[in-house]
Amino acid sequence: MFSNINTASISTLVPLVAITGFLDGIHPCAIAILIFFIAFLLTLQKTFKNIFVLGLVYIFVIFLTYLAVGVGLLSGIMLFGQHLFFAKLGSWLLILLGAIHLKDYFFPQLPIHLQMPKVSGDKIKSLLTKATLPSIVVAAFLVGLCSIPCAGGIYVAVTSLLASQTTYFTGFLYLLLYNLMFVMPLFILLLFAANPLTLAKIAEFRNKNERTEKLVMGLLLIALGIGILTFLV
């Protein structure tokens, strides 16, 4: 079953995919909405078990949605055939997204921001306040789709690289790893729901350091893009 895996690239691709997946998961869209959702459930005096189960549903649906987007993208690139072109294009996209993050740090008043559309965010929050299983599933699905403008650039770049470096089956396995790491920050955040004070401190810390986060992410994305262009394509 695993005979198709290119073992020569595992030592490079596994840490690259895992790290970029985790970095991609540290974005304001899904995290801010999960904090809102947990805080809302706490106001309803839900038990930690109840919050944890509903939170897991939210995270799992985001995982499946983002994975489906990646599989579709991987299939499309491999079907098109220009794997190296898309890998280079994805690398330049990383550099561009990094530049936008730096722009938001140094010149936040300028247009073009990587964020979820406001109308989508309002709709998602409205669904989550119903606190029913169907509404949570629909809201999480929308979060997965609407996170693409916020964080999808890294995903496109990594998926393009996988298409140029691996077989379809191997690429799918890497996408599984990527998406597990993508939802890991959400899962860690969910664990803090046991302590409302800690959750409030996390939300406060993110608000205070939002601009610094953009600076760090911008530098990391540019470094990743240059690294992929230099060593992998």
Side-chain angles (χ1 to χ4, degrees):
M1 177 180 178
F2 295 95
S3 58
N4 291 329
I5 297 179
N6 181 4
T7 54
S9 63
I10 285 180
S11 60
T12 301
L13 288 180
V14 167
L16 176 66
V17 170
I19 292 171
T20 52
F22 190 81
L23 287 176
D24 198 5
I26 308 174
H27 66 90
C29 300
I31 289 180
I33 289 177
L34 181 59
I35 291 176
F36 164 82
F37 181 43
I38 294 173
F40 175 76
L41 292 177
L42 287 171
T43 63
L44 297 181
Q45 297 184 328
K46 298 283 187 179
T47 63
F48 172 70
K49 180 180 178 180
N50 193 269
I51 293 174
F52 190 75
V53 170
L54 293 177
L56 279 182
V57 171
Y58 172 87
I59 292 170
F60 184 64
V61 174
I62 290 178
F63 169 81
L64 290 180
T65 304
Y66 223 60
L67 177 62
V69 170
V71 169
L73 184 61
L74 181 68
S75 302
I77 294 173
M78 288 195 160
L79 181 64
F80 195 76
Q82 300 296 322
H83 304 166
L84 191 60
F85 166 77
F86 281 107
K88 290 182 178 180
L89 182 63
S91 301
W92 281 108
L93 180 60
L94 275 180
I95 295 172
L96 174 62
L97 295 175
I100 293 175
H101 276 295
L102 292 183
K103 184 274 301 178
D104 283 342
Y105 177 78
F106 291 105
F107 308 104
Q109 71 279 6
L110 294 180
I112 306 179
H113 305 283
L114 302 175
Q115 60 187 16
M116 181 184 295
K118 186 178 185 302
V119 63
S120 301
D122 293 341
K123 177 63 177 177
I124 290 166
K125 289 180 179 180
S126 174
L127 286 168
L128 289 176
T129 54
K130 296 179 181 178
T132 63
L133 193 58
S135 66
I136 292 170
V137 169
V138 173
F141 173 73
L142 291 175
V143 169
L145 289 181
C146 295
S147 292
I148 294 173
C150 199
I154 303 176
Y155 202 20
V156 172
V158 171
T159 305
S160 301
L161 177 66
L162 293 176
S164 71
Q165 298 284 321
T166 68
T167 64
Y168 182 83
F169 174 71
T170 309
F172 174 74
L173 293 180
Y174 279 119
L175 284 180
L176 284 176
L177 172 62
Y178 184 98
N179 282 280
L180 284 172
M181 296 304 295
F182 176 75
V183 298
M184 189 59 63
L186 295 177
F187 181 74
I188 294 171
L189 180 61
L190 181 61
L191 293 177
F192 285 114
N195 189 331
L197 182 60
T198 303
L199 187 66
K201 287 184 177 297
I202 292 173
E204 182 182 357
F205 176 82
R206 289 196 70 254
N207 288 332
K208 285 183 177 180
N209 296 277
E210 186 176 358
R211 285 191 65 196
T212 303
E213 179 184 315
K214 292 182 183 299
L215 175 63
V216 174
M217 285 296 294
L219 294 174
L220 285 174
L221 290 179
I222 291 174
L224 276 171
I226 294 174
I228 293 173
L229 281 173
T230 304
F231 300 107
L232 295 176
V233 298

